[in-house]
């Protein structure tokens, strides 16, 4: 919501400062997010003597000690980093899970194969990191979900200087769009079944799945690739494994297939699913 409001505001210079209904709502949302982040930060500041915590927020707060000497992050920068990580990491991973549940609901044979893999590997226990690393079929299905329904559909870049891209001359400041979703459905890259669900294509790893080793761009690639990709895959594997251990599921007849780009790719009217508890 906050990001969407920001994009709309970019259209007209100066417009974002006017007290329009949308801007007031945006300011209110910004205050709300900032206040809830500040309350977490404040509670950590209270426990300074025992350290700020060994997570990312703790590390960033630790760096404020260096600020007195002119280095390290300011409080505003920490709040901004928290927002980046929250927005970059939350919707993306939740929609990867949404589309994975959709694909497993519509491909019940794969749902069964994955459940068998999970129960063989972890029984009914909470999976360990070691268990998760061994869930090959689950990983293949997640990769196929990322290919067919990439949560991030496009990336935008601006040329920092005049440059050549293949035999194209790109002038400085040109805006380039990388159409991830189109690349993920390209038959020249993925073969004639590019539009079909076929996790087997990932059997020998991501780089061997298509005719180009970097055809899967769901997490981007290179120095600005997603910093959270390993965490996202681990999180998604854990959630899928826990669900498969406990429930069988199928698509509700109310579901309408309307994938929509709202910054991340999501089903327009949600994903109604019928869950049945398993008595394993
Ligand atoms: C399925 C889940 C995810 C997908 C599909 C995804 C996708 C992406 C993509 C495509 C980019 C590159 C965007 C660009 O360059 O324009 C990116 C960057 C980023 N992602 Fe993710 N992401 C996911 C999960 C996460 C998680 C869990 C976190 C953090 C915990 C995270 C944090 C970030 C950050 C901080 C960047 C910016 C990196 C930089 O510019 O150096 N992402 N992500």
């Amino acid at each position: 919501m906050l990001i969407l409001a920001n994009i709309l505001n970019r259209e007209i210079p100066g417009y974002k400062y006017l007290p329009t209904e949308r801007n007031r709502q945006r300011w209110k949302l910004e205050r709300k997010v900032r206040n809830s982040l500040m309350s977490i930060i404040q509670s950590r500041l209270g426990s300074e003597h025992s350290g700020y915590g060994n997570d990312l927020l703790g590390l960033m707060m630790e760096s404020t000690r260096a600020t007195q000497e002119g280095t390290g992050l300011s409080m505003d920068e920490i709040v901004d980093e928290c927002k980046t990580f929250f927005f970059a990491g939350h919707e993306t991973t939740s929609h990867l899970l949404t589309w994975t549940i959709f694909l497993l609901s519509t491909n019940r044979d794969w749902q069964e194969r994955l459940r068998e893999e999970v129960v063989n590997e972890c029984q009914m226990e909470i999976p360990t990191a070691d268990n998760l690393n061994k869930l090959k079929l689950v990983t293949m299905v997640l990769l196929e979900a990322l290919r067919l329904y990439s949560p991030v559909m496009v990336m935008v870049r601006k040329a920092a200087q005049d440059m050549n891209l293949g035999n194209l001359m790109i002038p400085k400041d040109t805006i380039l769009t990388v159409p991830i979703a189109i690349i993920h459905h390209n038959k020249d890259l993925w073969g004639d079944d590019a539009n079909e669900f076929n996790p087997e294509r990932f059997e020998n790893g991501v780089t061997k799945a298509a005719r180009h080793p970097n055809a899967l761009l769901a997490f981007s690639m290179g120095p600005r690739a997603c910093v959270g990709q390993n965490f996202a895959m681990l999180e998604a594997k854990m959630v899928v494994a826990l669900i498969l251990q406990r429930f069988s599921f199928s698509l509700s007849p109310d579901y309408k297939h309307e994938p929509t780009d709202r910054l991340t790719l999501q089903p327009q009217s949600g994903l109604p699913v019928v869950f049945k508890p398993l008595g394993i």
Side-chain angles (χ1 to χ4, degrees):
M1 188 67 190
L2 195 64
I3 307 173
L4 192 64
N6 268 332
I7 285 184
L8 293 171
N9 260 296
R10 237 183 268 152
E11 306 297 320
I12 307 167
Y15 190 75
K16 67 177 177 184
Y17 301 109
L18 298 179
T20 58
E21 169 110 28
R22 180 173 285 144
N23 281 345
R24 281 207 304 273
Q25 198 192 4
R26 187 170 64 90
W27 295 331
K28 197 172 148 197
L29 285 169
E30 270 171 2
R31 271 197 307 276
K32 204 170 158 189
V33 172
R34 193 185 161 84
N35 287 345
S36 64
L37 287 171
M38 281 313 289
S39 75
I40 301 173
I41 293 173
Q42 292 298 349
S43 73
R44 300 257 184 128
L45 283 173
S47 58
E48 188 183 1
H49 54 281
S50 54
Y52 294 127
N54 63 354
D55 56 8
L56 184 63
L57 177 59
L59 287 175
M60 288 194 290
M61 289 179 64
E62 206 61 56
S63 85
T64 57
R65 292 189 209 267
T67 311
Q68 282 102 43
E69 291 107 57
T71 54
L73 294 170
S74 70
M75 206 46 89
D76 278 346
E77 283 169 331
I78 292 183
V79 169
D80 282 348
E81 286 296 325
C82 288
K83 284 192 210 164
T84 302
F85 270 82
F86 182 75
F87 291 116
H90 183 264
E91 289 251 312
T92 44
T93 315
S94 76
H95 288 115
L96 164 60
L97 282 165
T98 304
W99 292 116
T100 304
I101 294 297
F102 165 76
L103 288 166
L104 291 176
S105 300
T106 46
N107 295 275
R108 300 290 295 271
D109 50 333
W110 275 94
Q111 189 184 137
E112 279 312 316
R113 284 179 70 180
L114 261 57
R115 182 169 298 109
E116 205 177 304
E117 178 182 63
V118 170
V119 174
N120 277 343
E121 181 56 38
C122 325
Q123 294 77 49
M124 286 305 288
E125 304 299 318
I126 307 253
T128 61
D130 193 38
N131 291 144
L132 294 178
N133 276 335
K134 292 188 187 140
L135 298 179
K136 184 171 175 186
L137 294 179
V138 176
T139 308
M140 283 158 55
V141 166
L142 288 170
L143 292 172
E144 185 67 338
L146 283 170
R147 184 186 74 83
L148 283 171
Y149 297 99
S150 180
V152 179
M153 293 182 77
V154 285
M155 280 184 294
V156 180
R157 292 289 183 269
K158 187 174 174 182
Q161 58 198 46
D162 290 351
M163 58 178 68
N164 292 317
L165 193 63
N167 51 12
L168 280 180
M169 157 56 188
I170 312 282
K172 182 175 185 276
D173 290 338
T174 306
I175 305 282
L176 299 168
T177 301
V178 183
I180 301 179
I182 294 176
I183 295 169
H184 283 184
H185 289 79
N186 184 312
K187 291 193 175 172
D188 293 339
L189 284 169
W190 297 96
D192 287 341
D193 66 350
N195 292 320
E196 282 152 40
F197 174 72
N198 175 16
E200 301 283 4
R201 71 179 88 243
F202 288 104
E203 190 175 5
N204 298 314
V206 178
T207 52
K208 303 263 170 54
R211 291 191 186 123
H212 190 287
N214 300 117
L216 189 77
L217 283 171
F219 291 115
S220 183
M221 56 168 290
R224 299 309 294 259
C226 177
V227 283
Q229 58 184 295
N230 291 338
F231 178 71
M233 287 299 281
L234 205 68
E235 208 180 4
K237 274 192 243 177
M238 177 64 102
V239 174
V240 170
L242 291 174
I243 293 176
L244 286 166
Q245 279 172 327
R246 288 157 182 79
F247 300 97
S248 77
F249 45 91
S250 56
L251 214 51
S252 154
D254 297 338
Y255 174 72
K256 289 196 202 76
H257 195 57
E258 297 161 319
T260 308
D261 187 8
R262 287 185 185 140
L263 293 177
T264 51
L265 184 69
Q266 37 194 284
Q268 186 164 317
S269 320
L271 178 73
V273 172
V274 180
F275 281 92
K276 286 205 183 110
L278 290 167
I280 297 179

